[in-house]
Amino acid sequence: MPQRYTRIQRTPDQSFPAAIDVLLPASFVKQYGIVGKKPFELMYGLRTITAAFEITTSSVIKIKESFAQRLGLLEEEIAYGLHFHPATRRLVIGPIVGILISRMVPTDEGPFGSITDFCREVTQTCRLRGGLGFIFTLDQISREKDMVNGWTYRNGHWIKRVFPIPFCTYNRIGSRKVEEREETKEKIAILKEKGVLFFNEQFLDKWQIHQRMSLLPETAAFTPYTDLYKGVASLQAMLQKHPYIYLKPSSGSLGRGIIRLSRTQNGYICQYATLNDTVTRRYNSFNLLHQMLRSRMRKQPYLMQQGLHLIKLKGGIVDFRALVQKNKNGEWSITSIVGRSAPTCKSIVSNVARGGTILPLGNTLIAAGFSPAARASITASVRQHALLIARLFEQCTEGHYAELGIDLGVDRTGKVWLLEINSKPSKTNNSLANAGKGPRPSVIRLVDYCFYRSGYIPNPRKKTMQIKRSSKRRLSP
């Protein structure tokens, strides 16, 4: 099925022949083998309308203005990708990429708060590569309608208008609580019922993912011992088995709620992070320790994970975040791997949101004192583990995922360990490992994957131009 990129011209109704919706160039009709004059279906996103057509000598596809409005085809600056399916007589226009968020959160950074730059880069990259990208919110989704209000970025401004429901939708709902609401689940179910390819299904539950991954024999070699906190007996047994452990909220993120416990000759040391510091407390007895933990954990599910002797920089722990995404061929690939160094020797987490510093993988291993040969071996091992974990995750997890933040640790011997898997890697501006000009590589890969799943390759005549980053953009009506 040939693919073609071309501009589509909206034309005033009075310039069209009576009862005709679309004028097709003779060259287009010949290329796609369109025979007869029977009306065909015109599909844009998930909006489909039957169109009557005539053949012209013009080189431009023309659509009647009123018909284009019904279809939601209001962009003229885009060279659209086109597919014609002879068996169904359906002409598909696209691709369209939707970014679903819970709601607008205007701040000084822009109409979508800290992810404004990310949203802008997606819409601009789609346009430059031959498609349309837009942002929409949960409250726009309706069972009765196949159109939604949304925002796209054009000529320096955010433009609000009506779009057809996109075939490919990336879940960027940023709140776990919002995502778990019944009304949110109902809205997402509506999208799926309409035929939307909805991916990065939901936030992950650490314990559920551990249980599923632990059933696969391949994971045993790189997974630290992990168990669910079930009360005093389970915690005491875990501390007897391991000299120090981490307690992690099963549904936590950004390092929130993590606690480190150490067993010493004189009792126990408990450490946990606050917004500005790390608190360290000592307890002479296990009972006193547990009383404090019960009040701090507040009955939310926690898992207990074996502490590892990971490499350190200036006394601060170090781990690695691998961003693994599906590429233009639908295959898992590594977009970036960075080291994250904790701000102080007292810090128990390395998350950037908790003051951690991002470093290139190679520089991190150099600073940790590994030899050139060891660095090459560890780098290869980190990459191999990241890809393997993404594939294993997909085997044992329901739902559709195309992007994962995989946290890996490297111990003092160079062994690689899986620490955590995240389905909503940060898209805020301070999360960027390379804050240069142009769309970040993760955006390009995201758009390429959406194009691939929509049946398109990027417009070969288009090159992704450099896009100047600036989050302070006003919202146009």
Side-chain angles (χ1 to χ4, degrees), residues 103-394:
R103 60 186 177 88
M104 290 186 65
V105 285
T107 67
D108 290 342
E109 295 179 276
F112 309 108
S114 61
I115 64 167
T116 296
D117 268 11
F118 165 74
C119 293
R120 177 174 53 79
E121 289 173 35
V122 170
T123 62
Q124 289 181 311
T125 302
C126 284
R127 184 181 300 274
L128 289 167
R129 294 171 88 78
L132 174 67
F134 71 94
I135 319 302
F136 68 112
T137 57
L138 285 167
D139 59 0
Q140 295 299 317
I141 301 169
S142 167
R143 193 177 301 277
E144 293 74 31
K145 298 178 181 179
D146 53 9
M147 306 284 280
V148 293
N149 284 316
W151 297 264
T152 192
Y153 192 83
R154 188 177 64 191
N155 299 328
H157 303 293
W158 284 101
I159 308 298
K160 182 180 180 180
R161 69 168 182 80
V162 177
F163 299 89
I165 289 178
F167 166 70
C168 201
T169 296
Y170 171 57
N171 175 13
R172 200 60 219 184
I173 297 172
S175 166
R176 191 181 292 266
K177 289 183 179 179
V178 170
E179 195 175 73
E180 290 175 348
R181 292 173 185 167
E182 284 305 315
E183 55 265 39
T184 301
K185 295 178 181 179
E186 291 174 5
K187 296 278 189 175
I188 293 174
I190 290 171
L191 290 179
K192 293 180 180 180
E193 290 168 8
K194 290 179 180 291
V196 169
L197 180 77
F198 186 82
F199 68 96
N200 274 44
E201 191 79 15
Q202 61 185 13
F203 282 99
L204 302 178
D205 180 283
K206 293 180 178 64
W207 177 241
Q208 289 181 1
I209 295 304
H210 171 76
Q211 285 182 299
R212 293 171 182 174
M213 293 282 286
S214 64
L215 295 175
L216 304 175
E218 299 94 328
T219 66
F222 54 79
T223 302
Y225 182 82
T226 305
D227 201 357
L228 185 65
Y229 168 78
K230 307 181 189 72
V232 59
S234 64
L235 180 60
Q236 198 163 28
M238 189 75 175
L239 279 169
Q240 288 174 349
K241 182 179 292 187
H242 303 284
Y244 80 96
I245 67 171
Y246 279 88
L247 298 177
K248 298 181 178 182
S250 191
S251 58
S253 58
L254 302 176
R256 288 190 291 258
I258 292 179
I259 302 168
R260 182 165 69 183
L261 302 178
S262 304
R263 172 170 47 83
T264 69
Q265 290 182 345
N266 301 319
Y268 302 89
I269 299 174
C270 173
Q271 295 173 288
Y272 56 86
T274 65
L275 286 175
N276 302 313
D277 200 2
T278 299
V279 175
T280 300
R281 293 183 178 180
R282 299 176 184 276
Y283 296 89
N284 295 326
S285 72
F286 179 82
N287 288 337
L288 290 174
L289 169 67
H290 192 253
Q291 286 177 20
M292 185 281 296
L293 290 175
R294 284 171 57 188
S295 63
R296 185 155 193 86
M297 293 160 70
R298 298 177 182 176
K299 296 184 179 181
Q300 61 177 316
Y302 264 75
L303 54 82
M304 307 177 295
Q305 191 172 80
Q306 168 192 356
L308 304 168
H309 295 291
L310 302 180
I311 59 175
K312 295 182 178 182
L313 294 184
K314 297 179 180 179
I317 59 172
V318 172
D319 64 14
F320 298 89
R321 164 61 64 89
L323 179 61
V324 186
Q325 296 175 288
K326 289 194 173 178
N327 60 21
K328 61 184 179 182
N329 299 314
E331 300 170 346
W332 287 111
S333 55
I334 294 173
T335 302
S336 65
I337 302 177
V338 295
R340 302 184 302 180
S341 175
T344 69
C345 59
K346 295 192 303 180
S347 302
I348 64 170
V349 294
S350 60
N351 302 68
V352 175
R354 298 284 166 176
T357 301
I358 290 178
L359 301 166
L361 170 60
N363 291 5
T364 306
L365 296 176
I366 290 172
F370 288 105
S371 67
R375 294 198 301 269
S377 175
I378 293 170
T379 298
S381 183
V382 167
R383 294 181 65 87
Q384 290 166 4
H385 277 80
L387 288 173
L388 174 62
I389 289 164
R391 295 177 187 127
L392 294 175
F393 169 88
E394 190 171 36

Side-chain angles (χ1 to χ4, degrees), residues 416-428:
V416 177
W417 297 86
L418 169 62
L419 303 180
E420 198 169 297
I421 302 175
N422 301 275
S423 62
K424 301 283 184 79
S426 177
K427 300 300 181 186
T428 58

Side-chain angles (χ1 to χ4, degrees), residues 440-451:
R440 64 198 83 179
S442 61
V443 166
I444 295 173
R445 187 152 279 171
L446 171 68
V447 170
D448 281 351
Y449 177 69
C450 291
F451 277 35

Side-chain angles (χ1 to χ4, degrees), residues 44 104 156 454:
Y44 184 49
M104 290 186 65
S454 300

